[in-house]
Amino acid sequence: MNGRRRAILEAAARVIARRGVRGLRVEELAAEARVSKALVYYHFGDRAGLLRHTLRFIGDRAERYTRGRPPGKHEPENSLRELEHRLLLELQDTPEVRENSTAWGELRASAVFEPELREELRQAGTEWVREIAELLGRVDPAAPDAVLVSAAERLTVLLEGLSTRWLIGVLPTGHARELMRGAILAEVEGLGLPEPCAVGRLR
């Protein structure tokens, strides 16, 4: 990614976190990125293109900061630590994580009114669930795929809800992380138990 394109996407993430998607104006974005409006349109075509690329940029940035340490050997105990580490890094009290999480939440909420974002969000959500399901599968290799996916869906949905409450100050960082840690342990403990919906899907 060239420097100006990155600068525009970084500025878009800041403006969306500050004003929301509906408050995003190309003039303000261009000023924030210190580029011309014409350059914004040159790189992204239109507002919809800018939003789609910003969503991907935010997702890539989250991917980078949630991989703060390399996975250890693929043993259940190490995999559980890696799973916990990966999810809890979404609740770091740092400016980058707060900005990223806020912008992601704004883009997710705006998809109710902007259908062109829905497919991007669906793909990003599916990929995130797949990655968490893979980590859960390392913790319990005997668990059926459908059970792993269901557990991963619950954990990622919970994390999005916790993140929203954390960002607005309803939950302190430490408490949000403890709630997430408890949910992870509960899901891991339940991996060996058959879920009626999962069993039904496997038939």
Side-chain angles (χ1 to χ4, degrees):
M1 187 184 299
N2 70 43
R4 288 187 173 179
R5 187 180 176 88
R6 175 177 288 279
I8 294 168
L9 291 172
E10 288 174 346
R14 287 195 300 273
V15 173
I16 289 171
R18 196 164 61 229
R19 298 192 181 278
V21 171
R22 290 188 168 188
L24 178 65
R25 299 289 178 268
V26 175
E27 296 84 353
E28 181 182 1
L29 169 61
E32 182 91 17
R34 297 184 179 181
V35 299
S36 67
K37 283 173 54 179
L39 193 63
V40 175
Y41 288 118
Y42 170 77
H43 281 293
F44 303 105
D46 55 17
R47 188 173 184 276
L50 173 64
L51 291 176
R52 286 195 302 272
H53 281 86
T54 302
L55 195 151
R56 291 176 203 160
F57 172 77
I58 289 169
D60 290 345
R61 192 161 65 173
E63 177 80 7
R64 189 180 70 249
Y65 64 64
T66 56
R67 291 189 180 275
R69 103 183 150 191
K73 295 178 181 177
H74 290 179
E75 297 171 359
E77 189 174 313
N78 289 330
S79 296
L80 177 56
R81 280 198 295 269
E82 177 64 18
L83 172 66
E84 192 175 271
H85 180 74
R86 179 85 186 271
L87 291 172
L88 292 180
L89 284 176
E90 294 278 2
L91 297 167
Q92 297 180 76
D93 200 6
T94 66
E96 181 184 44
V97 174
R98 281 188 169 275
E99 177 186 281
N100 221 54
S101 296
T102 302
W104 180 265
E106 291 290 341
L107 285 159
R108 191 175 67 237
S110 74
V112 174
F113 307 102
E114 305 203 32
E116 64 271 11
L117 285 176
R118 291 177 194 167
E119 180 59 21
E120 291 285 340
L121 283 161
R122 188 196 66 77
Q123 290 178 10
T126 298
E127 178 62 19
W128 192 22
V129 167
R130 185 191 64 76
E131 290 173 4
I132 299 306
E134 284 182 2
L135 283 171
L136 286 164
R138 293 181 202 164
V139 177
D140 186 354
D145 287 346
V147 171
L148 296 172
V149 169
S150 290
E153 286 177 335
R154 285 190 294 270
L155 287 174
T156 54
V157 167
L158 174 64
L159 182 53
E160 287 184 337
L162 285 175
S163 179
T164 299
R165 293 190 178 194
W166 165 66
L167 287 168
I168 65 174
V170 173
L171 288 177
T173 305
H175 187 47
R177 289 167 68 90
E178 281 305 311
L179 290 172
M180 193 68 233
R181 190 176 283 112
I184 294 166
L185 293 177
E187 290 293 348
V188 167
E189 287 172 2
L191 287 178
L193 302 174
E195 293 185 348
C197 60
V199 172
R201 276 183 289 187
L202 288 172
R203 285 178 184 157

